[in-house]
Amino acid sequence: MIGLKKRLALEVNRNVQNSVIREHPLSTLFWECTLRCNLNCRHCGSDCHQTAALKDMPVEDLFPALDSIARECDPHKVMIIVTGGEPLVRKDLEACGKEFYRRGFPWGIVTNGLQLTPERYKSLLASGLRAVTISLDGIGETHDWMRGRSGVFPRALAAIGMVAASGAVEFDVVTCVNKRSLQELPKIKEQLISSGVRDWRLFTVFPVGRAAQDPELQLSREEFRAALDFIKATRKEGRIRCRYGCEGFLGDYEGEVRDSFFFCGAGVTVASVMADGSIAACPSIRADYSQGSIYRDDFMTVWNERYAPYRDRSWMRSDQCASCRWFRHCRGNGMHLRDADGHLLFCHLHRLEG
């Protein structure tokens, strides 16, 4: 049950969010630079492979979109997050980064860490790298099980320790909580703290991609609450900044497991250019919700004129959302939890309340 104090805070936050929606300031641009990957992760929403039918986008194809952004936005305030697939399989990643940096855009990567050697890290830093996220999904065999390849845990851990020790970039570790890793969260916490990690982000699997048919990846209501309770307790300890991901409204856990209340920034502050050139929002959102293409559209025209479904989400008030008393604060959940017809696939609040 959400108490009066939190209800009032949620209402104040809703007004702040309404202001952000009206202004929709672009602050994060994801670039899906490849569909190739050197692992075979159980939970991959992109269903990537070591080889991909779609060739890597030449970075030059992205330049008109960046030029369009720079004409209307301060590029120093728009972070480019390079994702995939696995970004480090691109041999020209440093060249891409140098171009982003030259144009005034800070940039970072989301990586499994497998190819993040000291030499590669040094060259990336020299190319303007400013942020890194590395995945760690368990201790030893649990991490390897999630990543679909044995022996990768020590390499991920080495990359994490190296980046944490450098202090050169904004850095966090992200962990997918599943039935196996849930039991190891205290051990993962201690491992990260001993490795010098300060920021740890946890998320749970939503039912798309490979994860949709894998029951070992889905938490029960009791397990989900246990994960959130662990985050609350860890935050109170203050030894590592721990938070749950941004993917759903959490009822009485709002304000307890994240630094802010739930807000889906997709199409409001967050945009993406996908591997095929589609102009989208959060890269976790299915292709049905792309708004245009960098090969035929001006990026900022699309950003300013075609993101209405993300900014006015009243259309989401149907199905189980129709009578939900928390819709004004949840706004229909994250867009990535909607199917091609707009129907809600999954509700975190429903899982919590049963």
Side-chain angles (χ1 to χ4, degrees):
M1 182 66 180
I2 301 179
L4 178 60
K5 184 177 180 180
K6 189 172 291 185
R7 288 169 182 259
L8 293 173
L10 282 167
E11 195 60 32
V12 170
N13 185 68
R14 180 176 180 273
N15 292 330
V16 173
Q17 291 179 359
N18 286 338
S19 178
V20 174
I21 291 170
R22 285 193 298 271
E23 296 176 7
H24 51 267
L26 179 64
S27 62
T28 304
L29 176 70
F30 286 92
W31 179 39
E32 189 180 47
C33 74
T34 184
L35 291 181
R36 293 181 295 135
C37 188
N38 48 16
L39 294 179
N40 188 37
C41 302
R42 299 179 72 92
H43 60 310
C44 180
S46 300
D47 198 24
C48 299
H49 302 277
Q50 291 190 14
T51 59
L54 187 65
K55 293 183 178 180
D56 295 351
M57 178 192 297
V59 69
E60 292 80 8
D61 291 6
L62 188 64
F63 292 165
L66 299 184
D67 292 342
S68 177
I69 293 170
R71 283 194 291 270
E72 295 193 32
C73 306
D74 181 352
H76 297 90
K77 297 181 179 179
V78 181
M79 171 68 79
I80 298 175
I81 303 295
V82 184
T83 184
E86 169 52 50
L88 293 179
V89 303
R90 285 191 65 137
K91 303 301 183 183
D92 67 340
L93 186 58
E94 286 85 345
C96 299
K98 286 180 180 178
E99 276 299 322
F100 301 154
Y101 184 77
R102 187 182 68 81
R103 293 165 183 266
F105 292 91
W107 68 283
I109 58 172
V110 178
T111 176
N112 57 41
L114 196 59
Q115 294 185 10
L116 194 58
T117 62
E119 294 76 18
R120 192 79 196 270
Y121 184 48
K122 183 178 179 180
S123 67
L124 289 166
L125 289 175
S127 302
L129 182 72
R130 291 294 176 266
V132 176
T133 293
I134 299 178
S135 298
L136 190 74
D137 292 318
I139 299 295
E141 292 182 1
T142 301
H143 177 80
D144 291 356
W145 170 79
M146 272 294 282
R147 294 285 150 181
R149 181 174 169 183
S150 62
V152 297
F153 171 73
R155 295 169 68 176
L157 200 60
I160 287 169
M162 176 184 63
V163 177
S166 76
V169 295
E170 294 181 26
F171 177 50
D172 71 347
V173 171
V174 62
T175 296
C176 174
V177 184
N178 54 71
K179 289 184 181 297
R180 294 195 185 190
S181 62
L182 176 63
Q183 310 306 318
E184 296 183 354
L185 290 181
K187 291 183 179 179
I188 299 172
K189 178 184 70 174
E190 295 303 327
Q191 179 66 72
L192 294 180
I193 291 173
S194 67
S195 297
V197 176
R198 297 181 179 179
D199 292 282
W200 184 24
R201 182 161 36 100
L202 292 82
F203 71 98
T204 48
V205 174
F206 47 91
V208 298
R210 297 174 189 169
Q213 307 301 322
D214 194 335
E216 289 191 88
L217 298 184
Q218 307 298 326
L219 300 182
S220 67
R221 179 172 70 252
E222 292 75 17
E223 289 169 331
F224 188 39
R225 281 195 170 273
L228 296 179
D229 287 338
F230 171 82
I231 295 172
K232 282 180 61 176
T234 301
R235 289 171 67 85
K236 288 181 180 179
E237 283 181 354
R239 298 167 63 214
I240 187 171
R241 182 186 174 218
C242 181
R243 62 198 188 279
Y244 185 66
C246 62
E247 65 238 35
F249 183 77
L250 301 174
D252 58 337
Y253 285 98
E254 284 297 320
E256 307 288 339
V257 296
R258 286 187 285 238
D259 297 339
S260 58
F261 292 113
F262 169 69
F263 179 59
C264 179
V268 178
T269 60
V270 178
S272 297
V273 174
M274 308 304 286
D276 63 355
S278 297
I279 300 173
C282 169
S284 296
I285 298 172
R286 56 188 301 124
D288 308 75
Y289 292 99
S290 64
Q291 305 300 305
S293 170
I294 61 169
Y295 295 113
R296 65 173 183 268
D297 301 304
D298 175 71
F299 183 92
M300 286 305 293
T301 298
V302 173
W303 178 252
N304 290 324
E305 299 179 2
R306 299 189 192 174
Y307 278 81
Y310 293 89
R311 297 166 190 168
D312 179 1
R313 302 193 181 192
S314 57
W315 61 271
M316 291 183 173
R317 194 156 199 165
S318 60
D319 302 326
Q320 66 189 85
C321 294
S323 58
C324 180
R325 66 188 185 280
W326 299 114
F327 183 86
R328 66 187 285 107
H329 302 296
C330 176
R331 302 176 193 265
N333 223 313
M335 186 76 82
H336 68 291
L337 298 175
R338 298 276 163 172
D339 67 13
D341 297 319
H343 298 303
L344 185 64
L345 294 167
F346 186 80
C347 175
H348 290 72
L349 185 62
H350 179 75
R351 176 166 59 169
L352 286 169
E353 296 182 344

